[in-house]
Amino acid sequence: MRIRTLPEGQLRLTFPPPVLHPDLARLGVEEVRPLLSAFDSLRPRSPLPLRLLEMPGAVHSNRSSAASWESRLREDFFSLYGPPLLPVPESLETSRLLLALQLSTRYMDDGIREAARELFTAPAFLVSVSLAITVYFAAWLAPEPFFSKGLAAALTVRLALLVGLVELGRVAHACLRLYQEAEAATSPQELEAASERFGRALGGAGLRVLVVVASMGMPQVLPKVPEGGLWTLLSPLRHAPAGGQALESIATAHVVADGSLIATGVAAGTSATSLCGELATCMMTDGEGSASGGGPKLSTRYGKPHTRKNPAHNEAIEEELARREAAGHTGLKKNEAQVNAQNLRVNNPNRQAKPRFRKPDVSSLRPDGIRHNTNYVSNQKDLRRELEAFNAMVQADPKAIHELYLLDGTLVRRHVPTGVSFP
């Protein structure tokens, strides 16, 4: 991502085409249960009286006023995100939108369906999602969405850093389409069809975004969620939320037609590293668009740059090492001579072979004592050479895990020793 400084405390964030981390495609029940326990503090006295529309043209069933627990949620959302930009039913707990959300879990991918069912049977969570759609995601109806409320602005920037601006906009428009089609439905079949379109469009990253936006509007719930719990839903590459305090001063966020995002009120002196968190794959530029210091700032947290000619390769290494450190790995090495689990150098068994030893891009020791080596291929023209290196590393240390990836995250080859578990 490129960050360009503009006058009067503005930053322009330009995002490359998104390549979402594969971990985001799935969401397990165990990841959402701590959050669900927090939502239990706002449990309605009786089950929600949800029912399908009885006939075409039927009027809305939500005639009664909102319950006290729902009123509390509304107050929270409106104070933090601003007033609703779409009509909000008098009682969301019996609305078509809420029912459509429940029905949509039938059509979600296998990797997220069970977690979605757990979430979408929690009344307080469903009402929070409904409010998020009418208050936050409704802003994406504008050709160039503009967020002027502090929380909404900072949240937009943070979500864009974590999943990309394109993915964030895609989730928003799926939510808005569900709202519009649910409101316009005149039969159970039309409501079911709207739910199916939403369920199939959401995806794992989309569900995670939905959870974060809905939860951020409930400050009385957040203290009960384990520290960092919300952001770990969207951040498989780091153990700290992107931006941290660097985002707290953001006043507005404006998504412009060229696909970039302009943030105002950013604290003076904010750096790419402090804004992007530990991922640190951002490049700062000056007001004219040239890179500060004459070129990209390469991450060096885990060692000197792999190569200055290929910043993406270096950043992929740094990201992987950050993820492993967060997972409790030790013996972190960046582009160093291959070693085994005992930290002893291992050479190619063929004494005549050159080079005598290999240098994994990423190497670490898992908590269970298994060495884990990973290499990346930047140019597919080099794939044959990289496969030869992969085979040499496996021969040198068959007791280690070895992986070879393309830079876009595509797995090329993997070796897992017999009896070793690998997620």
Side-chain angles (χ1 to χ4, degrees), residues 23-84:
D23 287 355
L24 295 179
R26 303 180 66 85
L27 182 62
V29 173
E30 66 282 356
E31 294 182 74
V32 300
R33 278 182 176 156
L35 187 64
L36 286 170
S37 64
F39 275 98
D40 280 345
S41 64
L42 285 174
R43 185 183 295 277
R45 289 189 298 270
S46 59
L48 300 187
L50 297 176
R51 55 182 177 271
L52 286 171
L53 301 175
E54 296 176 356
M55 64 186 67
V59 296
H60 289 206
S61 61
N62 50 304
R63 295 181 179 276
S64 59
S65 60
S68 59
W69 65 274
E70 183 185 323
S71 298
R72 289 171 58 194
L73 286 182
R74 290 179 184 240
E75 292 173 5
D76 284 340
F77 267 82
F78 298 163
S79 64
L80 293 169
Y81 284 116

Side-chain angles (χ1 to χ4, degrees), residues 17 42 57 87-88 161 258 262:
L42 285 174
V88 180
L161 287 170
D258 65 1
I262 297 177

Side-chain angles (χ1 to χ4, degrees), residues 271 381 411:
S271 67
K381 293 180 180 179
L411 177 66

Side-chain angles (χ1 to χ4, degrees), residues 139-154:
W140 290 83
L141 276 172
E144 292 190 338
F146 184 78
F147 304 89
S148 58
K149 196 76 172 178
L151 175 68

